[in-house]
Amino acid sequence: MNAVIIGSGNIATHLAKTLYTAGHTISQVYSRTLANAQALANVVNSDCINDLSKILLDADLYILSVSDSAIPEITNNLNKNIKGIIVHTSGATDMNILDEFENYGVVYPPQSINKDIDTDLNLIPFAIEANTFKNEEMLLQLIKTIASKSFYCNSNQRLALHLSAVIANNFSNALFQISKDILDNANLDFELLKPIILETAIKVQNHLPETTQTGPARRADYNIIDKHLQFLSQFPEESKIYQILTDFIIKRYHK
């Protein structure tokens, strides 16, 4: 299988490297910035380009891995005579943005990936969707060569997956920052929380979140909750977040 990589960022880099390591050919790497395309192309023994009109038309797969906002512009400027399967890697962009092409789909990893950090794609469940059953089968079998947990997922399911990933990953990280700010204000080190953060992450690997919920809201301990809210009076925005999450937990477990 030979592929063209359109993009040189985090997901593009990991997919290109992993496909190449698995024995697939990376024919071209495109980036608006030629130096970025060159850097990735050097790693996967590929040609680099920064002109969409120079993209080959006979590859088997075209991976469009750019920011969501850049997908429409790139798509509009790609040659519509591409016969291979063209896919984007977005969790929130509808597959049909590619419907001017004959064969198209989505390969979405619900994972925060950094191109400078080693990541085993075989541990990530890629969501696969395509415009035909044949293309879906081809994509699934291909991606399973590098990510064995890959699965079929329609656009609505993918959006739900992306939203859930944002809540579980991005929102939890924002809560870590709030915790750090509170500790910093009290001249305490964020390192003190790392054991409990790790313990929570480990628990959810083997148990449902609803069975591992603890804390004053889970117990409906209003005395402690009031003390927390009094303390948070110096942090108005954080206090609102605490109150919303506390109310959610109480309503869920104390109907």
Side-chain angles (χ1 to χ4, degrees):
M1 192 280 302
N2 65 86
V4 170
I5 308 296
I6 303 172
S8 59
N10 296 322
I11 297 176
T13 296
H14 278 284
L15 282 172
K17 288 181 177 180
T18 308
L19 285 168
Y20 178 71
T21 300
H24 301 291
T25 300
I26 308 300
S27 300
Q28 290 176 313
V29 174
Y30 163 86
S31 175
R32 285 195 179 101
T33 304
L34 189 59
N36 293 341
Q38 181 72 70
L40 179 55
N42 287 343
V43 177
V44 296
N45 192 29
S46 177
D47 292 331
C48 63
I49 56 172
N50 65 347
D51 183 349
L52 288 172
S53 68
K54 294 181 179 179
I55 284 183
L56 300 171
L57 301 181
D58 59 352
D60 301 310
L61 178 66
Y62 297 79
I63 299 177
L64 177 53
S65 187
V66 296
S67 66
D68 287 21
S69 60
I71 292 176
E73 179 188 349
I74 297 289
T75 301
N76 289 336
N77 287 288
L78 279 173
N79 191 315
K80 302 307 183 293
N81 292 317
I82 287 174
K83 298 303 181 185
I85 304 176
I86 179 167
V87 301
H88 69 64
T89 59
S90 167
T93 302
D94 195 278
M95 177 181 69
N96 290 333
I97 197 170
L98 302 172
D99 64 6
E100 290 188 64
F101 300 93
E102 182 177 344
N103 302 293
Y104 57 93
V106 180
V107 174
Y108 165 61
Q111 179 74 13
S112 180
I113 294 176
N114 187 309
K115 66 181 179 180
D116 297 320
I117 299 175
D118 289 338
T119 300
D120 184 356
L121 297 190
N122 201 45
L123 300 176
I124 300 174
F126 279 73
I128 307 298
E129 183 180 13
N131 67 317
T132 68
F133 177 75
K134 179 181 177 182
N135 287 339
E136 213 166 53
E137 281 288 303
M138 289 176 62
L139 273 180
L140 183 64
Q141 294 309 313
L142 169 63
I143 300 303
K144 275 194 169 184
T145 66
I146 61 171
S148 61
K149 295 182 178 181
S150 299
F151 65 103
Y152 298 121
C153 184
N154 64 41
S155 288
N156 190 61
Q157 291 174 318
R158 177 162 42 85
L159 183 58
L161 179 60
H162 183 262
L163 171 60
S164 298
V166 166
I167 293 171
N169 180 52
N170 305 133
F171 287 6
S172 63
N173 193 71
L175 293 176
F176 296 157
Q177 183 61 57
I178 290 173
S179 298
K180 182 180 183 301
D181 291 343
I182 292 170
L183 289 175
D184 287 347
N185 189 66
N187 294 315
L188 292 169
D189 197 322
F190 182 66
E191 290 288 328
L192 296 168
L193 288 186
K194 289 186 177 179
I196 195 170
I197 291 172
L198 180 60
E199 176 65 18
T200 300
I202 291 172
K203 279 181 183 177
V204 81
Q205 304 304 313
N206 300 299
H207 303 279
L208 294 174
E210 63 192 36
T211 66
T212 59
Q213 185 68 55
T214 60
R218 175 65 179 86
R219 301 188 302 271
D221 189 336
Y222 293 102
N223 288 330
I224 297 298
I225 291 170
D226 286 343
K227 285 185 178 180
H228 286 171
L229 289 171
Q230 288 173 21
F231 184 91
L232 284 170
S233 61
Q234 59 191 308
F235 303 101
E237 291 302 316
E238 289 81 354
S239 179
K240 292 177 185 177
I241 294 170
Y242 179 96
Q243 186 68 71
I244 290 170
L245 290 175
T246 295
D247 289 345
F248 172 80
I249 294 170
I250 290 173
K251 290 175 182 178
R252 187 176 186 91
Y253 292 96
H254 301 276
K255 296 179 181 179

mmCIF file of all heavy atoms in Angstrom, residues 15 18 22 107 120-128 139-152:
data_model
loop_
_atom_site.group_PDB
_atom_site.id
_atom_site.type_symbol
_atom_site.label_atom_id
_atom_site.label_comp_id
_atom_site.label_asym_id
_atom_site.label_seq_id
_atom_site.Cartn_x
_atom_site.Cartn_y
_atom_site.Cartn_z
ATOM 1 N N LEU A 15 1.121 8.681 12.138
ATOM 2 C CA LEU A 15 0.581 7.759 11.137
ATOM 3 C C LEU A 15 1.618 7.457 10.059
ATOM 4 O O LEU A 15 1.789 6.302 9.657
ATOM 5 C CB LEU A 15 -0.685 8.342 10.508
ATOM 6 C CG LEU A 15 -1.958 8.236 11.345
ATOM 7 C CD1 LEU A 15 -3.089 9.011 10.692
ATOM 8 C CD2 LEU A 15 -2.362 6.774 11.529
ATOM 9 N N THR A 18 4.381 5.169 11.564
ATOM 10 C CA THR A 18 3.915 3.827 11.899
ATOM 11 C C THR A 18 3.586 3.033 10.640
ATOM 12 O O THR A 18 3.887 1.836 10.550
ATOM 13 C CB THR A 18 2.691 3.891 12.826
ATOM 14 O OG1 THR A 18 2.998 4.729 13.935
ATOM 15 C CG2 THR A 18 2.324 2.510 13.340
ATOM 16 N N ALA A 22 5.551 -0.332 9.359
ATOM 17 C CA ALA A 22 4.781 -1.554 9.097
ATOM 18 C C ALA A 22 4.991 -2.072 7.672
ATOM 19 O O ALA A 22 4.402 -3.094 7.291
ATOM 20 C CB ALA A 22 3.302 -1.303 9.351
ATOM 21 N N VAL A 107 -10.428 8.387 9.507
ATOM 22 C CA VAL A 107 -9.606 7.572 10.398
ATOM 23 C C VAL A 107 -9.304 8.445 11.604
ATOM 24 O O VAL A 107 -8.430 9.307 11.556
ATOM 25 C CB VAL A 107 -8.298 7.127 9.704
ATOM 26 C CG1 VAL A 107 -7.385 6.414 10.685
ATOM 27 C CG2 VAL A 107 -8.598 6.243 8.502
ATOM 28 N N ASP A 120 2.424 4.383 21.062
ATOM 29 C CA ASP A 120 2.125 3.094 20.436
ATOM 30 C C ASP A 120 0.702 3.145 19.898
ATOM 31 O O ASP A 120 -0.269 3.038 20.649
ATOM 32 C CB ASP A 120 2.282 1.969 21.466
ATOM 33 C CG ASP A 120 2.085 0.585 20.851
ATOM 34 O OD1 ASP A 120 1.747 0.501 19.650
ATOM 35 O OD2 ASP A 120 2.264 -0.407 21.576
ATOM 36 N N LEU A 121 0.560 3.324 18.580
ATOM 37 C CA LEU A 121 -0.772 3.428 17.987
ATOM 38 C C LEU A 121 -1.577 2.143 18.158
ATOM 39 O O LEU A 121 -2.807 2.175 18.076
ATOM 40 C CB LEU A 121 -0.669 3.778 16.496
ATOM 41 C CG LEU A 121 -0.023 5.126 16.143
ATOM 42 C CD1 LEU A 121 -0.227 5.428 14.658
ATOM 43 C CD2 LEU A 121 -0.573 6.254 16.990
ATOM 44 N N ASN A 122 -0.910 1.034 18.414
ATOM 45 C CA ASN A 122 -1.618 -0.221 18.585
ATOM 46 C C ASN A 122 -2.474 -0.231 19.847
ATOM 47 O O ASN A 122 -3.342 -1.093 20.011
ATOM 48 C CB ASN A 122 -0.631 -1.395 18.622
ATOM 49 C CG ASN A 122 -1.295 -2.707 18.282
ATOM 50 O OD1 ASN A 122 -2.070 -2.810 17.323
ATOM 51 N ND2 ASN A 122 -1.012 -3.731 19.067
ATOM 52 N N LEU A 123 -2.249 0.733 20.732
ATOM 53 C CA LEU A 123 -3.045 0.833 21.957
ATOM 54 C C LEU A 123 -4.256 1.746 21.781
ATOM 55 O O LEU A 123 -5.094 1.846 22.674
ATOM 56 C CB LEU A 123 -2.177 1.374 23.102
ATOM 57 C CG LEU A 123 -0.947 0.537 23.470
ATOM 58 C CD1 LEU A 123 -0.137 1.251 24.557
ATOM 59 C CD2 LEU A 123 -1.349 -0.856 23.933
ATOM 60 N N ILE A 124 -4.353 2.403 20.611
ATOM 61 C CA ILE A 124 -5.406 3.397 20.384
ATOM 62 C C ILE A 124 -6.512 2.814 19.502
ATOM 63 O O ILE A 124 -6.230 2.265 18.432
ATOM 64 C CB ILE A 124 -4.816 4.650 19.714
ATOM 65 C CG1 ILE A 124 -3.730 5.265 20.616
ATOM 66 C CG2 ILE A 124 -5.912 5.669 19.426
ATOM 67 C CD1 ILE A 124 -2.987 6.403 19.982
ATOM 68 N N PRO A 125 -7.779 2.914 19.908
ATOM 69 C CA PRO A 125 -8.899 2.403 19.109
ATOM 70 C C PRO A 125 -9.330 3.406 18.044
ATOM 71 O O PRO A 125 -10.155 4.281 18.291
ATOM 72 C CB PRO A 125 -9.997 2.189 20.154
ATOM 73 C CG PRO A 125 -9.720 3.240 21.183
ATOM 74 C CD PRO A 125 -8.220 3.419 21.219
ATOM 75 N N PHE A 126 -8.779 3.320 16.842
ATOM 76 C CA PHE A 126 -9.121 4.237 15.762
ATOM 77 C C PHE A 126 -10.566 4.016 15.308
ATOM 78 O O PHE A 126 -10.992 2.878 15.100
ATOM 79 C CB PHE A 126 -8.188 4.038 14.567
ATOM 80 C CG PHE A 126 -6.859 4.722 14.697
ATOM 81 C CD1 PHE A 126 -5.885 4.243 15.553
ATOM 82 C CD2 PHE A 126 -6.577 5.855 13.943
ATOM 83 C CE1 PHE A 126 -4.652 4.873 15.665
ATOM 84 C CE2 PHE A 126 -5.350 6.492 14.048
ATOM 85 C CZ PHE A 126 -4.388 6.000 14.915
ATOM 86 N N ALA A 127 -11.301 5.100 15.126
ATOM 87 C CA ALA A 127 -12.668 5.040 14.609
ATOM 88 C C ALA A 127 -12.622 5.153 13.089
ATOM 89 O O ALA A 127 -12.055 6.101 12.543
ATOM 90 C CB ALA A 127 -13.500 6.168 15.204
ATOM 91 N N ILE A 128 -13.221 4.171 12.412
ATOM 92 C CA ILE A 128 -13.147 4.079 10.953
ATOM 93 C C ILE A 128 -14.521 4.262 10.330
ATOM 94 O O ILE A 128 -15.498 3.643 10.760
ATOM 95 C CB ILE A 128 -12.584 2.709 10.513
ATOM 96 C CG1 ILE A 128 -11.244 2.408 11.199
ATOM 97 C CG2 ILE A 128 -12.464 2.638 8.995
ATOM 98 C CD1 ILE A 128 -10.142 3.373 10.877
ATOM 99 N N LEU A 139 -10.236 0.173 4.614
ATOM 100 C CA LEU A 139 -9.640 1.046 5.624
ATOM 101 C C LEU A 139 -9.432 0.331 6.947
ATOM 102 O O LEU A 139 -8.379 0.454 7.575
ATOM 103 C CB LEU A 139 -10.526 2.273 5.857
ATOM 104 C CG LEU A 139 -10.330 3.486 4.957
ATOM 105 C CD1 LEU A 139 -11.301 4.590 5.363
ATOM 106 C CD2 LEU A 139 -8.894 4.000 5.022
ATOM 107 N N LEU A 140 -10.448 -0.421 7.350
ATOM 108 C CA LEU A 140 -10.355 -1.116 8.633
ATOM 109 C C LEU A 140 -9.208 -2.105 8.630
ATOM 110 O O LEU A 140 -8.411 -2.156 9.578
ATOM 111 C CB LEU A 140 -11.674 -1.824 8.955
ATOM 112 C CG LEU A 140 -11.723 -2.519 10.315
ATOM 113 C CD1 LEU A 140 -11.607 -1.496 11.447
ATOM 114 C CD2 LEU A 140 -13.012 -3.313 10.471
ATOM 115 N N GLN A 141 -9.110 -2.898 7.579
ATOM 116 C CA GLN A 141 -8.047 -3.895 7.513
ATOM 117 C C GLN A 141 -6.674 -3.234 7.457
ATOM 118 O O GLN A 141 -5.714 -3.713 8.055
ATOM 119 C CB GLN A 141 -8.257 -4.807 6.296
ATOM 120 C CG GLN A 141 -9.506 -5.670 6.379
ATOM 121 C CD GLN A 141 -9.609 -6.437 7.693
ATOM 122 O OE1 GLN A 141 -8.650 -7.061 8.149
ATOM 123 N NE2 GLN A 141 -10.788 -6.370 8.328
ATOM 124 N N LEU A 142 -6.585 -2.113 6.739
ATOM 125 C CA LEU A 142 -5.312 -1.400 6.655
ATOM 126 C C LEU A 142 -4.908 -0.837 8.008
ATOM 127 O O LEU A 142 -3.787 -1.050 8.477
ATOM 128 C CB LEU A 142 -5.406 -0.268 5.630
ATOM 129 C CG LEU A 142 -4.234 0.727 5.643
ATOM 130 C CD1 LEU A 142 -2.930 0.029 5.280
ATOM 131 C CD2 LEU A 142 -4.518 1.891 4.708
ATOM 132 N N ILE A 143 -5.803 -0.089 8.640
ATOM 133 C CA ILE A 143 -5.460 0.551 9.906
ATOM 134 C C ILE A 143 -5.221 -0.483 10.998
ATOM 135 O O ILE A 143 -4.412 -0.264 11.914
ATOM 136 C CB ILE A 143 -6.545 1.567 10.315
ATOM 137 C CG1 ILE A 143 -6.682 2.647 9.243
ATOM 138 C CG2 ILE A 143 -6.218 2.209 11.654
ATOM 139 C CD1 ILE A 143 -5.392 3.396 8.951
ATOM 140 N N LYS A 144 -5.871 -1.625 10.894
ATOM 141 C CA LYS A 144 -5.631 -2.677 11.886
ATOM 142 C C LYS A 144 -4.204 -3.218 11.817
ATOM 143 O O LYS A 144 -3.742 -3.834 12.771
ATOM 144 C CB LYS A 144 -6.642 -3.808 11.716
ATOM 145 C CG LYS A 144 -7.960 -3.552 12.432
ATOM 146 C CD LYS A 144 -8.805 -4.815 12.523
ATOM 147 C CE LYS A 144 -9.974 -4.600 13.469
ATOM 148 N NZ LYS A 144 -10.775 -5.833 13.651
ATOM 149 N N THR A 145 -3.498 -2.991 10.711
ATOM 150 C CA THR A 145 -2.101 -3.423 10.634
ATOM 151 C C THR A 145 -1.215 -2.580 11.540
ATOM 152 O O THR A 145 -0.091 -2.978 11.862
ATOM 153 C CB THR A 145 -1.560 -3.356 9.188
ATOM 154 O OG1 THR A 145 -1.506 -1.986 8.752
ATOM 155 C CG2 THR A 145 -2.422 -4.177 8.245
ATOM 156 N N ILE A 146 -1.709 -1.406 11.943
ATOM 157 C CA ILE A 146 -0.924 -0.552 12.844
ATOM 158 C C ILE A 146 -1.661 -0.250 14.149
ATOM 159 O O ILE A 146 -1.045 0.211 15.107
ATOM 160 C CB ILE A 146 -0.535 0.778 12.170
ATOM 161 C CG1 ILE A 146 -1.776 1.587 11.778
ATOM 162 C CG2 ILE A 146 0.363 0.525 10.959
ATOM 163 C CD1 ILE A 146 -1.483 2.998 11.317
ATOM 164 N N ALA A 147 -2.976 -0.491 14.160
ATOM 165 C CA ALA A 147 -3.789 -0.197 15.353
ATOM 166 C C ALA A 147 -4.881 -1.258 15.439
ATOM 167 O O ALA A 147 -5.971 -1.089 14.889
ATOM 168 C CB ALA A 147 -4.379 1.197 15.270
ATOM 169 N N SER A 148 -4.598 -2.338 16.137
ATOM 170 C CA SER A 148 -5.456 -3.524 16.113
ATOM 171 C C SER A 148 -6.822 -3.308 16.763
ATOM 172 O O SER A 148 -7.746 -4.089 16.541
ATOM 173 C CB SER A 148 -4.753 -4.700 16.792
ATOM 174 O OG SER A 148 -4.466 -4.398 18.153
ATOM 175 N N LYS A 149 -6.989 -2.253 17.547
ATOM 176 C CA LYS A 149 -8.257 -2.005 18.230
ATOM 177 C C LYS A 149 -9.220 -1.157 17.390
ATOM 178 O O LYS A 149 -10.271 -0.751 17.871
ATOM 179 C CB LYS A 149 -8.011 -1.311 19.576
ATOM 180 C CG LYS A 149 -7.245 -2.167 20.581
ATOM 181 C CD LYS A 149 -7.091 -1.441 21.906
ATOM 182 C CE LYS A 149 -6.360 -2.312 22.925
ATOM 183 N NZ LYS A 149 -6.226 -1.627 24.232
ATOM 184 N N SER A 150 -8.889 -0.904 16.134
ATOM 185 C CA SER A 150 -9.720 -0.068 15.284
ATOM 186 C C SER A 150 -11.102 -0.685 15.076
ATOM 187 O O SER A 150 -11.256 -1.905 15.094
ATOM 188 C CB SER A 150 -9.031 0.144 13.931
ATOM 189 O OG SER A 150 -7.792 0.802 14.115
ATOM 190 N N PHE A 151 -12.105 0.180 14.833
ATOM 191 C CA PHE A 151 -13.486 -0.296 14.758
ATOM 192 C C PHE A 151 -14.321 0.619 13.870
ATOM 193 O O PHE A 151 -13.949 1.771 13.612
ATOM 194 C CB PHE A 151 -14.096 -0.351 16.161
ATOM 195 C CG PHE A 151 -14.240 1.007 16.804
ATOM 196 C CD1 PHE A 151 -15.474 1.630 16.869
ATOM 197 C CD2 PHE A 151 -13.133 1.674 17.332
ATOM 198 C CE1 PHE A 151 -15.617 2.887 17.439
ATOM 199 C CE2 PHE A 151 -13.259 2.929 17.908
ATOM 200 C CZ PHE A 151 -14.503 3.541 17.963
ATOM 201 N N TYR A 152 -15.452 0.101 13.368
ATOM 202 C CA TYR A 152 -16.390 0.906 12.583
ATOM 203 C C TYR A 152 -17.075 1.930 13.478
ATOM 204 O O TYR A 152 -17.443 1.630 14.609
ATOM 205 C CB TYR A 152 -17.452 0.022 11.939
ATOM 206 C CG TYR A 152 -16.933 -0.992 10.959
ATOM 207 C CD1 TYR A 152 -17.154 -2.351 11.142
ATOM 208 C CD2 TYR A 152 -16.238 -0.591 9.821
ATOM 209 C CE1 TYR A 152 -16.686 -3.291 10.246
ATOM 210 C CE2 TYR A 152 -15.759 -1.532 8.912
ATOM 211 C CZ TYR A 152 -15.996 -2.876 9.131
ATOM 212 O OH TYR A 152 -15.530 -3.795 8.229
#
